[in-house]
Tab-separated table of all heavy atoms in Angstrom:
chain	number	residue	atom	x	y	z
A	390	GLN	N	-12.019	1.311	42.638
A	390	GLN	CA	-12.838	1.598	43.811
A	390	GLN	C	-13.718	2.899	43.525
A	390	GLN	O	-13.136	3.980	43.190
A	390	GLN	CB	-12.022	1.802	44.854
A	390	GLN	CG	-11.281	0.473	45.366
A	390	GLN	CD	-12.241	-0.519	45.867
A	390	GLN	OE1	-13.039	-0.365	46.829
A	390	GLN	NE2	-12.227	-1.838	45.279
A	391	VAL	N	-14.956	2.721	43.753
A	391	VAL	CA	-15.931	3.842	43.528
A	391	VAL	C	-16.372	4.578	44.881
A	391	VAL	O	-16.859	3.891	45.759
A	391	VAL	CB	-17.115	3.397	42.671
A	391	VAL	CG1	-18.113	4.530	42.486
A	391	VAL	CG2	-16.713	2.748	41.479
A	392	ARG	N	-16.143	5.788	44.997
A	392	ARG	CA	-16.634	6.507	46.077
A	392	ARG	C	-17.372	7.873	45.652
A	392	ARG	O	-17.217	8.347	44.526
A	392	ARG	CB	-15.358	7.089	46.893
A	392	ARG	CG	-14.521	6.031	47.473
A	392	ARG	CD	-13.324	6.546	48.218
A	392	ARG	NE	-12.607	5.405	48.814
A	392	ARG	CZ	-11.747	4.729	48.099
A	392	ARG	NH1	-11.487	4.841	46.870
A	392	ARG	NH2	-11.226	3.676	48.658
A	393	SER	N	-18.139	8.322	46.717
A	393	SER	CA	-18.801	9.700	46.308
A	393	SER	C	-17.729	10.790	46.099
A	393	SER	O	-16.657	10.844	46.678
A	393	SER	CB	-19.586	10.056	47.557
A	393	SER	OG	-20.061	11.398	47.529
A	394	ALA	N	-18.110	11.508	45.123
A	394	ALA	CA	-17.139	12.645	44.745
A	394	ALA	C	-17.232	13.844	45.634
A	394	ALA	O	-16.614	14.868	45.430
A	394	ALA	CB	-17.312	12.952	43.240
A	395	GLY	N	-18.193	13.754	46.700
A	395	GLY	CA	-18.300	14.872	47.451
A	395	GLY	C	-19.833	15.227	47.680
A	395	GLY	O	-20.749	14.413	47.400
A	396	ALA	N	-20.146	16.518	48.178
A	396	ALA	CA	-21.575	16.923	48.314
A	396	ALA	C	-22.305	16.822	47.075
A	396	ALA	O	-21.843	17.051	45.973
A	396	ALA	CB	-21.588	18.346	48.903
A	397	GLN	N	-23.601	16.444	47.216
A	397	GLN	CA	-24.340	16.100	45.968
A	397	GLN	C	-25.420	17.023	45.635
A	397	GLN	O	-26.228	16.797	44.774
A	397	GLN	CB	-25.006	14.672	46.129
A	397	GLN	CG	-23.995	13.551	46.317
A	397	GLN	CD	-23.288	13.235	45.046
A	397	GLN	OE1	-23.762	13.434	43.870
A	397	GLN	NE2	-21.987	12.797	45.078
A	398	ALA	N	-25.470	18.207	46.319
A	398	ALA	CA	-26.508	19.174	45.997
A	398	ALA	C	-26.390	19.709	44.545
A	398	ALA	O	-25.173	19.736	43.986
A	398	ALA	CB	-26.374	20.377	46.971
A	399	SER	N	-27.399	19.997	43.978
A	399	SER	CA	-27.292	20.290	42.427
A	399	SER	C	-26.714	21.542	42.041
A	399	SER	O	-26.455	21.924	40.921
A	399	SER	CB	-28.786	20.174	41.768
A	399	SER	OG	-29.537	21.014	42.520
A	400	HIS	N	-26.461	22.471	43.007
A	400	HIS	CA	-25.805	23.705	42.756
A	400	HIS	C	-24.232	23.576	42.832
A	400	HIS	O	-23.568	24.539	42.568
A	400	HIS	CB	-26.270	24.826	43.559
A	400	HIS	CG	-26.048	24.705	44.977
A	400	HIS	ND1	-26.626	23.743	45.804
A	400	HIS	CD2	-25.202	25.392	45.905
A	400	HIS	CE1	-26.186	23.807	47.047
A	400	HIS	NE2	-25.317	24.822	47.153
A	401	MET	N	-23.737	22.415	43.294
A	401	MET	CA	-22.378	22.334	43.681
A	401	MET	C	-21.624	21.664	42.558
A	401	MET	O	-21.531	20.550	42.410
A	401	MET	CB	-22.220	21.389	44.961
A	401	MET	CG	-22.822	22.145	46.222
A	401	MET	SD	-22.559	21.142	47.710
A	401	MET	CE	-22.997	22.327	49.078
A	402	LEU	N	-20.746	22.551	42.009
A	402	LEU	CA	-19.874	22.118	40.894
A	402	LEU	C	-18.531	21.532	41.241
A	402	LEU	O	-17.999	20.764	40.496
A	402	LEU	CB	-19.669	23.405	40.007
A	402	LEU	CG	-20.678	23.729	38.939
A	402	LEU	CD1	-20.287	24.945	38.411
A	402	LEU	CD2	-20.665	22.665	37.888
A	403	SER	N	-18.097	21.738	42.505
A	403	SER	CA	-16.816	21.255	42.798
A	403	SER	C	-16.732	19.676	42.802
A	403	SER	O	-15.765	19.091	42.365
A	403	SER	CB	-16.208	21.761	44.186
A	403	SER	OG	-17.095	21.421	45.253
A	404	SER	N	-17.777	19.023	43.308
A	404	SER	CA	-17.903	17.595	43.343
A	404	SER	C	-18.060	17.046	41.980
A	404	SER	O	-17.491	15.965	41.656
A	404	SER	CB	-19.096	17.096	44.297
A	404	SER	OG	-20.282	17.539	43.867
A	405	LEU	N	-18.685	17.773	40.999
A	405	LEU	CA	-18.772	17.435	39.706
A	405	LEU	C	-17.361	17.396	38.948
A	405	LEU	O	-16.934	16.489	38.262
A	405	LEU	CB	-19.712	18.203	38.919
A	405	LEU	CG	-20.020	17.869	37.365
A	405	LEU	CD1	-20.554	16.583	37.267
A	405	LEU	CD2	-20.776	18.960	36.718
A	406	ALA	N	-16.660	18.463	39.329
A	406	ALA	CA	-15.337	18.558	38.652
A	406	ALA	C	-14.348	17.460	39.263
A	406	ALA	O	-13.429	17.088	38.634
A	406	ALA	CB	-14.671	19.919	39.048
A	407	SER	N	-14.578	17.071	40.490
A	407	SER	CA	-13.636	15.912	40.949
A	407	SER	C	-14.274	14.538	40.699
A	407	SER	O	-13.672	13.530	41.019
A	407	SER	CB	-13.383	16.064	42.607
A	407	SER	OG	-14.471	16.205	43.151
Side-chain angles (χ1 to χ4, degrees):
Q390 294 291 308
V391 177
R392 294 179 179 80
S393 167
Q397 296 289 329
S399 59
H400 63 292
M401 292 183 163
L402 273 170
S403 62
S404 56
L405 182 64
S407 53

